[in-house]
Amino acid sequence: MKRRIFLKGSMAAGAIAVAAGAGLLAPARVLAATWPKAAFTAKSEADALNAFFGSADAQDSGDVTLKAPLQAENGAVVPIKVSTSLADVEAIAVVVAKNPSPFVTSLQMAAGSAGGMFSARIKMGQTSPVNCYVKAGGKVYKTSQEIKVTVGGCGG
Amino acid sequence: MSLTRREFMRLLAAASAAGMAVNGRSASAQATDYDVPTFGNLSLLHFTDCHAQLMPVHFREPNFNIGIGKAFGQPPHVVGERFLEYFSIPAGSANAYAYTCLDFEVAAQKYGKVGGFAHLATLVKRLRASRPNSLLLDGGDTWQGSATSLWTKGQDMVDACKLLGVDIMTGHWEFTYGMDRVREIIERELPPIEFLAQNIMLTEDASFDGKPAFDEDSGRVFKPYSMREMNGIPVAIIGQAFPYTTLANPRYMIEDWSFGIRDEQCQAMVDEVRAKGAQVVVVLSHNGMDVDLKMATRVTGIDVILGGHTHDGIPKPSVISNAGGRTLVVNSGSNSKFLSVMDLDVRDGRVADYRFRLLPIFANLLPADPEMAMLIEGAREPFKQQLDTVLATTETTLYRRGNFSGTFDQVIVDALIEVRGADIAFSPGFRWGTSVLPGDPITVERLMDQTGITYAKSTLVEMSGETIKLVLEDIADNLFNADPYYQMGGDMVRVGGLRYAIDPTAPIGERLSALELNGKPLDPSHIYKVAGWASVNPQPDELPDIWDVVGEYLRDRKVIRDVVANVPRVKGISNNPGYLAL
């Protein structure tokens, strides 16, 4: 299949602006889940994590990978992809530490999901660590990458 | 260093008697040096970042090329005597003139101009005569940097490169002619030269809109690699365009294209060409040398990276060990001042050995190739009168290259402040721009060497002291971030009016201090008038072009003298081999 056609198709079908692969999305649960308002409105990363996961503790893990540019071409739409090979994935959350509201997006997974993939475009006000959290088997795992947002110019 | 013409002539006279003798010897020695013994069974010839300089020029190498962290004291971050020591080059020699800024004025008189496509063509022909199995590779920044390239939208360079016999190129400043012109050249005018880039993808929006791409499945805009059979040996060339073009240059000119280092993709390309049987894998790169060096540790299976962008002329390859073996990293300078010759001996399906030479192009030692000279003359003829128009004369060497401001930059920021009525002026830290010797005229052509871009509007904006510091910190991080993948490859923005101190080793936000304007500290809350040019955002047509602003200033001044570049106080570099005190 041509990439362009696939993208068009996925866009047309995409009521939610994220693509979730590998893991099983449970639409009913997603729709039924309560909007994690406290996490999205929190002004600090710790508050957001407490609101979403019930704890701000997370363990660095090589089983969570983040694919993202090192330097954003446009801070308003930074493409990222989080994936994990962990078993029993319950939720994925993305936090931009230096955004005024750091909690930028999250995904609830159906019970018993093995692995997961989640791509999105996020907005970044300035250079910041982008932290990705995966809750699996009752524990929260983390990976992080700094994405630079620059005023640009002057190269070359 | 500032010399009046009289002082300068006196210096020359003092050097002359010995100079004649030395000149004669070095000329014959150099002529012999161009006869590089052949080796192995195939050869790669490489030049990069010629910045559209078809004619021989003067180009002063930097006295600031500071290496931070792991790059401390490592090529390319060695300058002056430290460069000569590192590469065992005799002081005062022609090579010392080519590679360093030492005694620039005297050496420039003695050894003459460098580069020029007619002289480069002679060398290419000679080398190819003895090397029937060779490729000529151009690392890009070829279509921009001169008046004639700007005025012909790169056409003069496309014609010259075809006559020169370039086989394959990649790019960076090429993209500043905009997507339509780039596609027009690559599809219709450039063949048989191939343009390669594995790291430029259609943006998602452009994909939705069905914008053209080389490969719709992958979204790759250009052909990523080329397989060539040389002397019966399959060779793969992978293109790596400048990864941060959309940040360093206007994104609106190339809005459908997304750039990046994409080294995982590069690895996939290497694996793909190896699977197709490539026995030699070459990456033709516009990464910048620090990025090339890091990439060589991460991507395995590359035999040679032929690099450019940071304008580093490095006489020996850096040999980088990685999980797949070793990768040779070559960077071949700028301004058609150098040609790299990499001879490879391929045995039993792999590169067994190599010989490398980086040859400086001394225009006095290589006769002009008549055919190329005629093409260049024809390209310049319609513009002759404009090119030769004299705006002023200089008594000081005017140059740009270096981590911090050069004297030509100083003229530009002085002009911006005076003509635009600003408190402070910014001029981009480009690494291109030729040098002008004391006593020489500053012609329109020399001014365009410094300013010839497609987004040349001069801006005047109001900025708070706080914003000014933030902008400077941001740009300093693009230069001095300890991780090369976060660097952009330009030099520090040149600043007029404002003085500051900088600690390159500090983290972002903490590098700059002691910001002062007219002896008073920069007030974070005060609003200043800041002039600049080369904004990466669209600007109104009615704004003046930078060459008109500087041209007006030069005509008014008539003679440029006593220019002192506004170099910041740089902390913690007294023992850094990338710094030479003048």
Side-chain angles (χ1 to χ4, degrees), chain B residues 207-434:
Chain B
S207 274
F208 297 150
D209 294 341
K211 294 292 174 64
F214 169 78
D215 174 25
E216 287 187 1
D217 288 342
S218 64
R220 203 170 264 117
V221 178
F222 301 103
K223 186 174 176 178
Y225 61 80
S226 183
M227 298 283 291
R228 303 287 181 109
E229 192 169 291
M230 298 171 69
N231 207 3
I233 298 162
V235 176
I237 312 293
I238 300 171
Q240 173 83 1
F242 176 51
Y244 293 127
T245 308
T246 43
L247 297 171
N249 305 94
R251 188 160 52 91
Y252 67 87
M253 292 180 169
I254 43 174
E255 60 181 3
D256 292 343
W257 301 344
S258 172
F259 292 63
I261 296 173
R262 305 191 201 279
D263 54 11
E264 288 168 21
Q265 243 175 239
C266 186
Q267 182 69 64
M269 293 297 105
V270 175
D271 296 345
E272 190 173 315
V273 295
R274 288 283 183 197
K276 285 184 178 178
Q279 294 180 15
V280 180
V281 177
V282 178
V283 173
L284 178 61
S285 156
H286 204 96
N287 274 335
M289 184 156 168
D290 293 297
V291 176
D292 285 336
L293 291 170
K294 179 171 173 180
M295 193 169 175
T297 66
R298 291 165 58 92
V299 180
T300 60
I302 302 170
D303 295 300
V304 186
I305 297 178
L306 298 172
H309 180 56
T310 38
H311 293 194
D312 304 303
I314 305 297
K316 290 185 183 132
S318 303
V319 183
I320 307 299
S321 297
N322 55 44
R326 73 171 182 195
T327 300
L328 305 171
V329 176
V330 167
N331 269 241
S332 307
S334 68
N335 287 275
S336 51
K337 190 174 168 179
F338 298 100
L339 181 71
S340 277
V341 186
M342 175 65 85
D343 295 325
L344 298 176
D345 187 28
V346 184
R347 284 170 196 274
D348 306 323
R350 54 181 284 273
V351 175
D353 202 358
Y354 71 94
R355 296 288 183 276
F356 177 79
R357 287 284 302 278
L358 181 60
L359 299 173
I361 312 295
F362 296 109
N364 291 345
L365 298 177
L366 285 162
D369 174 72
E371 212 182 344
M372 183 64 83
M374 198 186 295
L375 180 139
I376 295 170
E377 184 56 33
R380 294 169 60 82
E381 206 275 326
F383 309 109
K384 203 91 183 89
Q385 201 182 341
Q386 285 155 281
L387 293 172
D388 294 343
T389 300
V390 176
L391 299 166
T393 303
T394 184
E395 292 186 352
T396 304
T397 304
L398 298 179
Y399 66 92
R400 172 175 284 154
R401 177 80 176 92
N403 287 157
F404 303 103
S405 194
T407 45
F408 213 129
D409 300 302
Q410 195 59 42
V411 171
I412 293 172
V413 292
D414 287 350
L416 279 166
I417 288 177
E418 186 169 308
V419 177
R420 302 303 310 274
D423 303 314
I424 293 169
F426 286 166
S427 185
F430 297 137
R431 294 191 173 197
W432 42 267
T434 60

Side-chain angles (χ1 to χ4, degrees), chain B residues 131-164:
Chain B
R131 288 169 173 75
N133 300 294
S134 66
L135 284 177
L136 178 58
L137 306 171
D138 170 8
D141 279 4
T142 304
W143 307 345
Q144 177 277 341
S146 70
T148 54
S149 64
L150 183 70
W151 294 337
T152 63
K153 297 188 169 67
Q155 191 65 51
D156 63 338
M157 295 310 298
V158 171
D159 297 341
C161 285
K162 286 167 83 167
L163 183 59
L164 189 65

Side-chain angles (χ1 to χ4, degrees), chain B residues 26 53 68 83 256 264 277 301 439 506 542:
Chain B
S26 83
Q53 295 301 334
I68 299 297
F83 190 104
D256 292 343
E264 288 168 21
E542 57 269 26

